Structures are given as C-alpha cells and as structure tokens.
C-alpha cells in the first residue's frame, strides 16, 4: 500500500515547472543588448551621419574682405572735362542665406555681394566717398555719383545638397540681378561651384562659376595650406578677360558697361569726335577650403576691370585702358575665424555620431555579447573560475 501510494503521488508523476531566475535571464539579455549595440554601430555612419553631410537648410553666413590701395573710376568725372581715377580703400561684403525652394534634396542660396568705398584718395588727400567733389550734381540727389557703393549684385541659385552643384530642373532657379532697376538675368546653363563646396571635398580639379561674367572656368587644386591653425586645401580659378558690354539673353550686364565721351575726355584727340569704350573684366580666385565640410574659410580675390576700345580705331593709342576697379580683396581676420568656427560646427556632428559614438557602442556591444555568451554557457569560463563557482554552490558546505 505504501509503495502504491508513493507511485501514485502527484509530485512524482507531475514535476513542478521550472521558473526562470534573474541569473538565467542575464545571459540572453546581454546577448540581445550586445547585438543591438553592434547594429547601432553599423547603422549610425550609414544612416544618420549621411544626413549631416549635406548643405544645411539653415545656411546663413557673411564674409568681409578688404582691399587697400585699390584704384577705382570716379563716376563724378563723367560730368567733368576729363576722366579721373582715384585711390580707395574698399570693403567687399557678402551674405549667403538659404531661401525657398528648399527640401531634403536641394537648397536655394541667395547671395548678396556689395563693394563699398571706405576712403578715397584724391590729389594726395584722404576724403570721404560721400563728400562733394567736381562733377557732383546737387540737383539730382536720387542718383549721386559720390555714393559709396562701387557695385553690387544679387545671385540666386538652387543647389543639390550633396554635391553643391546647380540643380535647375523641377522649379530650380539660377538668376542674377545686377541692377535694382532691372529684372534679374536667368542663367539656365549654370555649372560649377561658387559660394561653397560639398562635404568631403576631394582634392581634385572641378568647375567654378563666376557670377560677374556668367562663365564657368576650371577650379584647380593648388596644394594645401593652413588657416587659423587648420589644414585646408587651396583651389584657384582664373576668369579670363570678358567684355561686359556684350548682349546676353537680351539684357546688358549691369550698368555703365560702356562709356561714350569725346576723345579729349579720355585724354587724347579732339573734343568733337565721340568714342565709346566698353568695360572688360578679369579676375582670379584663390580659395582655402575646409575639405571636411566644403566651407570656404579664406579667399583672395583679384579683380581687374577697365574700359577699353575695340582694336583698329584711328587715333586711339595701342593698349589704352581706363581703370574701373583694380583691387585685391582678402578675408579679414574676423571672417577667417568665423568661417573656421562654422566649419568646425558643421563637422562636429559627423565626428561625434560618425566616429566617437560608433566606437563607444561597438566596444560596449562586444563586451555585452561576450558577457552574455559566458553567462549562458559557463563552460566558456576558465577552469579556475568554474571551480570557484562550483564550490560556492555546493549547498553552502565547505569542501
């Protein structure tokens, strides 16, 4: 009877179910956490960081470049007996800001550029640009020839956010306004970079677009240099001599692109024969680029503009030129520091999320994965650890 009762005991035919303890769950949990962290390590550089390597929709920066001992044409001399050029200290200011249309694939940049005269040197005297001088028409205050602005343009272009090249299809824009009193000139065949380069800029030749002449020229890699303690790449572009009085899309480029005055006004010939000179422009651009972000952190811009006559005009001296603007502009120290800081700000998320965080998650992921595997299979432990663990679990009895 006792045997029968023992055999029919519920505890012997139906063993109690096994309950998972915290120690049992620790291993699989660590394996899951480790695998998740390794997946994050792989995903961050490819998915998240890719979005940081595009032109920001919040783009908004201003650069200031100065030119000392420049030469400019005195517009007030148009109303005098002879042409006059004056020495000048100039400031070139440019603001670039993102506007619409912009989205995840493209960004439209609007760049306003002006050149202002801070001081003029006339007859060995330093004068303010707004001071009265020969040729000023006091009865026409709406169009003063002694205005400080030498020239100004507004450029608007839609770019691909990844390669920083014009993206003009599907409502993209490229238009340049040279005169506030005239409509903007459309540039449907625009190519090349102008105000910034793409992230991870390769040290290779590319193309540069010049808004003044509306031409695309080679932008040649010219070695490395240092700006504000940062290593940067140098690129150089040469804009060849261009006659700005030419017709393009039915609209002249800017104002005063040609001057008609008696030959004596130009300094030769008699006063009864009118001559027309056209404005020619050439320039060179030396750009220092932070290759991580494509930010132009320094620039030297040499501009040579002069009025010239066509070849073969009787009585015109060979090689005659009337300077309009001759200057070499360079970013000031504040602009260099500001643009270098901007490049660092743009590069920081890439460094943090593309390198530092993946390194941390990768290390933690490997550690968690190994710890989980060891807890799941104690046989992976070294023999001395297994003996110690076994001794501690023998009912609490010493050996």
């Amino acid at each position: 009877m006792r045997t029968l009762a023992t055999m029919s005991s519920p505890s012997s035919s139906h063993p109690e179910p096994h309950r998972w303890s915290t120690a049992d769950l620790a291993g699989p949990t660590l394996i899951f956490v480790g695998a998740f962290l390794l997946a994050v390590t792989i995903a961050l550089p490819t998915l998240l960081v890719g979005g940081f390597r595009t032109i920001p929709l919040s783009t908004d920066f201003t650069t200031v470049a100065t030119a000392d001992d420049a030469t400019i044409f005195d517009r007030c001399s148009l109303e005098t007996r002879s042409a006059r050029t004056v020495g000048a200290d100039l400031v070139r200011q440019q603001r670039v800001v993102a506007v619409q249309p912009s989205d995840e694939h493209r960004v439209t940049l609007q760049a306003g550029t002006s050149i202002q005269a801070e001081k003029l040197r006339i007859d060995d005297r330093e004068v303010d640009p707004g001071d009265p001088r020969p040729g000023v028409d006091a009865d026409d205050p709406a169009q003063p020839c002694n205005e400080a602005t030498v020239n100004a343009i507004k450029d608007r272009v839609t770019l691909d956010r990844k390669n920083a090249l014009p993206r003009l299809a599907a409502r993209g824009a490229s238009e340049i306004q040279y005169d506030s009193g005239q409509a903007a000139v459309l540039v449907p065949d625009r190519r090349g970079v102008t105000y910034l380069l793409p992230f991870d800029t390769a040290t290779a030749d590319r193309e540069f677009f010049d808004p003044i002449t509306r031409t695309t020229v080679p932008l040649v890699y010219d070695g490395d240099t240092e700006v504000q303690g940062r290593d940067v790449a140098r690129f150089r572009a040469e804009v060849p001599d261009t006659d700005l009085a030419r017709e393009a899309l039915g609209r002249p480029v800017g104002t005063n692109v040609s001057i008609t005055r008696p030959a004596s006004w130009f300094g030769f010939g008699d006063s009864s024969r009118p001559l027309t000179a056209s404005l020619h422009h050439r320039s060179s651009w030396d750009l220092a680029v932070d290759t991580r972000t494509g930010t132009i952190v320094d620039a030297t811009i040499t501009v040579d503009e002069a009025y010239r006559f066509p070849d073969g005009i009787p009585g015109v001296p060979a090689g005659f030129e009337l300077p309009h603007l001759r200057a070499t502009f360079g970013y000031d120290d504040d602009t260099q520091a500001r643009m270098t800081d901007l490049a660092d700000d743009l590069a920081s998320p890439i460094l943090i999320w593309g390198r530092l965080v993946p390194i941390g998650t990768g290390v933690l992921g490997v550690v968690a994965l190994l710890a989980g595997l060891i807890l799941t299979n104690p046989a992976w432990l070294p023999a001395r650890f297994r003996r110690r663990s076994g001794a501690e679990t023998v009912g609490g009895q010493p050996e």
Side-chain angles (χ1 to χ4, degrees):
M1 291 294 292
R2 179 183 298 176
T3 305
L4 246 155
T6 304
M7 292 179 60
S8 61
S9 171
S11 60
S12 61
S13 58
H14 299 285
E16 292 184 2
H18 175 72
R19 296 179 181 272
W20 288 88
S21 66
T22 303
D24 294 330
L25 294 174
T29 301
L30 286 174
I31 292 175
F32 172 80
V33 171
F36 174 76
L37 290 174
L38 291 178
V40 169
T41 301
I42 297 172
L44 280 177
T46 57
L47 299 180
L48 178 62
V49 176
F52 295 135
R53 289 192 175 97
T54 58
I55 301 173
L57 298 178
S58 59
T59 296
D60 188 350
F61 60 85
T62 300
T63 61
V64 176
T66 58
D68 299 330
D69 299 325
T71 300
I72 63 173
F73 170 68
D74 185 0
R75 288 172 296 191
C76 293
S77 68
L78 289 170
E79 304 302 326
T80 62
R81 291 176 177 267
S82 61
R84 182 172 63 233
T85 59
V86 297
D89 294 337
L90 305 178
V91 176
R92 180 184 185 272
Q93 183 168 318
Q94 182 178 85
R95 184 186 179 192
V96 180
V97 60
V99 296
Q100 294 299 326
S102 298
D103 53 37
E104 60 178 328
H105 301 296
R106 60 180 180 165
V107 60
T108 299
L109 298 182
Q110 181 169 287
T113 307
S114 67
I115 296 177
Q116 305 264 341
E118 284 196 323
K119 292 292 181 181
L120 300 181
R121 283 177 290 278
I122 302 176
D123 299 330
D124 297 326
R125 294 184 299 109
E126 190 172 89
V127 300
D128 189 271
D131 289 345
R133 56 182 182 269
V136 174
D137 186 357
D139 297 328
D140 187 13
Q143 297 293 333
C145 64
N146 58 341
E147 185 181 4
T149 301
V150 177
N151 61 41
I153 66 170
K154 183 170 68 175
D155 182 16
R156 189 166 174 264
V157 58
T158 302
L159 304 178
D160 187 289
R161 293 183 64 193
K162 290 186 177 180
N163 59 29
L165 295 176
R167 182 171 179 167
L168 307 183
R171 298 191 306 113
S174 177
E175 55 187 26
I176 305 171
Q177 188 171 18
Y178 300 93
D179 191 327
S180 59
Q182 297 182 1
V185 178
L186 300 179
V187 191
D189 57 347
R190 180 169 181 159
R191 307 188 322 274
V193 299
T194 304
Y195 306 106
L196 44 77
L197 280 70
F199 279 72
D200 299 323
T201 295
T203 52
D205 297 351
R206 57 191 68 231
E207 291 183 318
F208 176 82
F209 177 81
D210 174 46
I212 300 295
T213 60
R214 300 202 299 278
T215 56
T216 299
V217 298
L219 184 63
V220 180
Y221 172 64
D222 195 27
D224 297 327
T225 186
E226 187 176 288
V227 176
Q228 297 287 316
R230 273 78 164 182
D231 293 330
V232 295
R234 292 182 57 196
F235 291 87
R236 186 172 180 84
E238 296 283 349
V239 180
D241 184 271
T242 305
D243 183 358
L244 297 184
R246 78 195 192 287
E247 292 289 327
L249 302 175
R251 300 181 187 275
V253 179
T255 57
N256 288 335
V257 292
S258 63
I259 293 179
T260 301
R261 286 292 184 275
S264 59
W265 184 86
F266 290 100
F268 52 85
D270 57 59
S271 60
S272 62
R273 183 167 65 118
L275 295 176
T276 299
S278 59
L279 183 60
H280 288 245
H281 171 99
R282 64 173 176 260
S283 61
S284 64
W285 299 72
D286 193 343
L287 308 178
V289 179
D290 175 77
T291 57
R292 302 170 300 168
T293 63
T295 304
I296 299 173
V297 298
D298 191 18
T300 300
I301 306 164
T302 302
V303 180
D304 186 353
E305 292 182 349
Y307 292 100
R308 300 178 192 163
F309 295 101
D311 294 334
I313 297 181
V316 175
F320 172 84
E321 293 184 340
L322 174 60
H324 175 263
L325 169 62
R326 284 176 172 165
T328 298
F329 296 93
Y331 280 3
D332 61 16
D333 292 339
D334 289 342
T335 298
Q336 291 181 15
R338 188 165 57 250
M339 297 306 292
T340 303
D341 290 342
L342 173 61
D344 289 341
D345 291 342
L346 293 175
S348 291
I350 300 175
L351 174 64
I352 293 172
W353 296 101
R355 182 176 301 176
L356 300 182
V357 172
I359 289 175
T361 55
V363 171
L364 292 175
V366 170
V367 171
L369 195 62
L370 291 176
L373 291 173
I374 290 173
L375 290 176
T376 303
N377 186 3
W380 285 29
L381 285 170
R384 59 194 181 96
F385 288 106
R386 289 202 305 271
R387 287 196 300 269
R388 183 179 303 171
S389 175
E392 292 176 351
T393 57
V394 181
Q397 299 294 328
E399 293 181 359

